[in-house]
Each structure stands twice: as C-alpha cells, then as structure tokens.
Amino acid sequence: MTVSKAAAATAGKTSRITGKQPAEVAGAASMQMGELSELLGYSLKRAQLRIFEHFLRCVAPLQLTPAQFSVLLLLDKNPGRNQTEVANTLGILRPNFVAMLDSLETRDLCTRIRSTSDRRSHIIVLTEKGRAVLARAKKLVAAKHETRINEILGPAKRTALLEMLATIAREL
C-alpha cells in the first residue's frame, strides 16, 4: 500500500488553476478511454488511486499514508518481527521501507532494536505513541473510510470484491 508523495500532497485538494478535482483536470471527463476502460489493471489502478485519496482525507489529522498505516497494523499484530519480514509481507522495496521507517521513527511511532539473534537485523517495535496513533487511525478508517466504501458497494459486493482480489493476488 504505497502512495506517492505527490499523490499524498494533492489528495483531496483541487487544482489551483481550474478549481477541479484531479480526475477532472485537463478534460479527463471528455476523453475517450477506448480499450483502457476494458483493462482490469487500469480500472484497479484508478480505483486504488481514489481509495488512497479518500483514505488520506479521512486520516489527514494523523498524517499517515496507507502504507504507514499498514506497517503500524502489522507491527501491532506481529510483535518482534524484523524489518525485512514486514517489508516483504507488504511488498515494499527495502530502500523505500527504510525511508518509511525513518519517517515513522522520527515521529516516535516505532523504534528499531538490533536483533539479539542476528546483529544485521532490526526488530521493529511500536512505541506508546505509535499505539495511540494507530488506535485513532483505526477509528477514523472504520468510521469514515471503510464506512464510505461499504455504502458504495454494500456487504455482499464488498465480500465478493475482497475474495476476487485475494484470488488475483494469490494466483498471478
């Protein structure tokens, strides 16, 4: 769940030039999409961008990206894991993950501790502040973000979509 810094910076903002949301800028509404509208990958990416934008608006007071939120969730449920395990589980490249951890550590949301069994490895631990921010984020995500998605899809379609996405992730 990574999101670009540019997407994070512009999420929910309107263009200063046109006053329109990002998807409306540059005549996007009048463009003929052709084969793009039939490509599953393209549709998934468009949906992901909108979901990330909405997520960022919902948790704006906490200044968390979807990837950072995912890291905090994993650390909470999997104490004592090293940074390689967390990065691999989330599919985040090592250099990007190290930069993200630096940011989370700077905000005192987690800390890295050298592993006693492998001095080259670091265990990542949530701090008390990290637990508090995660608790607030979970409430915001549940109350605003997931609620809105559930309103759009309904329970049956939400469950079906999760199952389909899991199948794609597992089989491709």
Side-chain angles (χ1 to χ4, degrees), residues 31-96:
M31 296 283 289
Q32 295 296 319
M33 299 306 288
E35 293 171 358
L36 279 176
S37 62
E38 300 298 320
L39 296 175
L40 186 57
Y42 177 78
S43 294
L44 284 170
K45 181 65 175 180
R46 295 295 303 174
Q48 177 198 29
L49 290 172
R50 295 303 302 262
I51 285 175
F52 280 12
E53 290 168 359
H54 187 260
F55 177 94
L56 291 168
R57 285 192 306 272
C58 291
V59 300
L62 302 177
Q63 299 179 338
L64 285 178
T65 66
Q68 291 170 333
F69 178 66
S70 297
V71 168
L72 297 179
L73 282 171
L74 274 183
L75 294 177
D76 186 48
K77 295 295 180 192
N78 301 280
R81 296 302 183 116
N82 68 43
Q83 60 189 56
T84 301
E85 292 173 307
V86 176
N88 288 344
T89 299
L90 295 174
I92 301 173
L93 296 174
R94 183 176 168 80
N96 297 344

Side-chain angles (χ1 to χ4, degrees), residues 4 17-18 52 71 73 84 87 101 104 111 116 126 139 151 167:
S4 72
I17 298 168
T18 65
F52 280 12
V71 168
L73 282 171
T84 301
L101 283 181
L104 291 172
T111 189
T116 56
L126 276 181
K139 287 179 184 174
E151 288 171 358
T167 299

